[in-house]
Amino acid sequence: GELPVGEIPGVGYKFSKRLAEMHIHKCSDVWRHTRDHLQQSLGAKTGELIWEYAHGRDKRQVEAVRKRHSVGAEINWGIRFTTNDEAVKTLSRLSEEVEKRLRQNGKKGRCIAVKVKQRKANAPEPRKFMGHGWCENLSRSLTLACPTLAREVIAKEAVSLLLSLRIEPSEIRGLGIQITKLEDLGPGGNGKEGLHHQHQQQHQQQPGIQE
């Protein structure tokens, strides 16, 4: 009853002022008025809303919490690669962040996707210093045999996916990693199963972007 009427959802400055003129400052003040009186003074919808809230009633439909379908991380500023190692190190850092976020959400995933912003041909320098500017958005993904959150697995496959796009490192303006087909990590799970059950064959080449 001590809740200020201004705290009721949908009651802004205009209605707060009108209620004050009616000597209604708290929800308990509403109890002295009928529903009909509030509707006549404030309008049918708002009058009913305030009367219902003041009496502890909320007719709004309860919405279920949306299930998370993906976890990822990306960086689209300050990317100006000149060597293979710079891109690989960036993917490694992103993999660490993705593992951290998966663990925070209690998830592991089966599908790994790499998102790349490639500088458009003849694109001018972006207005924002070190921004990505005009780019083509590219992506490549693969599905693991076993879900994982292990940064080692994510980084290895991310580098492989980037290699498959055959982009010159100097043309890359943004990188991202996204994990989908999520599953609950479960009690005591560490999500490292993918380290031991990868369906991909071992790559013969060393990780790096082809120049």
Side-chain angles (χ1 to χ4, degrees):
E2 298 302 311
L3 180 72
V5 289
E7 297 294 323
I8 295 176
V11 177
Y13 174 79
K14 175 183 175 182
F15 284 113
S16 293
K17 185 177 180 181
R18 180 73 183 96
L19 288 165
E21 292 172 354
M22 297 169 63
H23 305 290
I24 299 176
H25 306 280
K26 300 178 294 185
C27 285
S28 57
D29 296 330
V30 177
W31 300 344
R32 301 195 304 266
H33 300 265
T34 65
R35 188 202 305 258
D36 289 342
H37 179 238
L38 288 175
Q39 289 181 314
Q40 290 172 5
S41 302
L42 304 171
K45 184 177 179 180
T46 303
E48 180 175 14
L49 174 71
I50 293 172
W51 193 90
E52 291 282 352
Y53 265 104
H55 289 79
R57 302 170 186 172
D58 186 355
K59 293 182 178 180
R60 293 179 301 174
Q61 185 176 357
V62 177
E63 295 183 358
V65 177
R66 292 185 178 181
K67 184 178 179 181
R68 179 178 285 274
H69 294 289
S70 67
V71 173
E74 60 184 52
I75 179 169
N76 297 318
W77 180 86
I79 298 294
R80 296 294 187 274
F81 298 139
T82 58
T83 67
N84 296 350
D85 289 343
E86 290 171 345
V88 172
K89 288 177 181 178
T90 297
L91 284 175
S92 179
R93 291 196 300 270
L94 286 171
S95 298
E96 292 177 8
E97 180 62 26
V98 170
E99 178 182 325
K100 176 183 174 183
R101 294 180 183 183
L102 284 165
R103 197 174 296 282
Q104 288 174 341
N105 286 278
K107 298 292 184 180
K108 55 186 176 180
R110 192 180 296 273
C111 184
I112 300 173
V114 165
K115 299 188 294 182
V116 183
K117 286 187 178 295
Q118 181 181 16
R119 175 180 174 273
K120 282 190 175 182
N122 302 317
E125 281 299 310
R127 293 182 180 181
K128 182 178 179 181
F129 177 68
M130 295 295 282
H132 57 71
W134 296 356
C135 294
E136 300 283 354
N137 294 313
L138 308 174
S139 66
R140 191 65 62 88
S141 65
L142 62 80
T143 300
L144 300 172
C146 185
T148 187
L149 59 69
R151 69 186 71 179
E152 300 90 343
V153 176
I154 295 171
K156 175 180 178 297
E157 301 300 349
V159 169
S160 176
L161 290 168
L162 186 58
L163 276 169
S164 70
L165 290 169
R166 298 184 178 278
I167 302 173
E168 290 290 334
S170 61
E171 297 298 304
I172 296 174
R173 292 293 181 269
L175 278 178
I177 298 175
Q178 187 176 51
I179 308 299
T180 56
K181 297 184 180 179
L182 302 181
E183 300 179 13
D184 291 335
L185 189 56
N190 61 14
K192 298 289 186 176
E193 298 90 337
L195 285 170
H196 310 292
H197 298 94
Q198 294 184 69
H199 77 293
Q200 301 292 320
Q201 292 183 345
Q202 293 296 321
H203 301 295
Q204 300 300 318
Q205 63 206 63
Q206 293 296 320
I209 302 172
Q210 295 175 342
E211 295 185 289

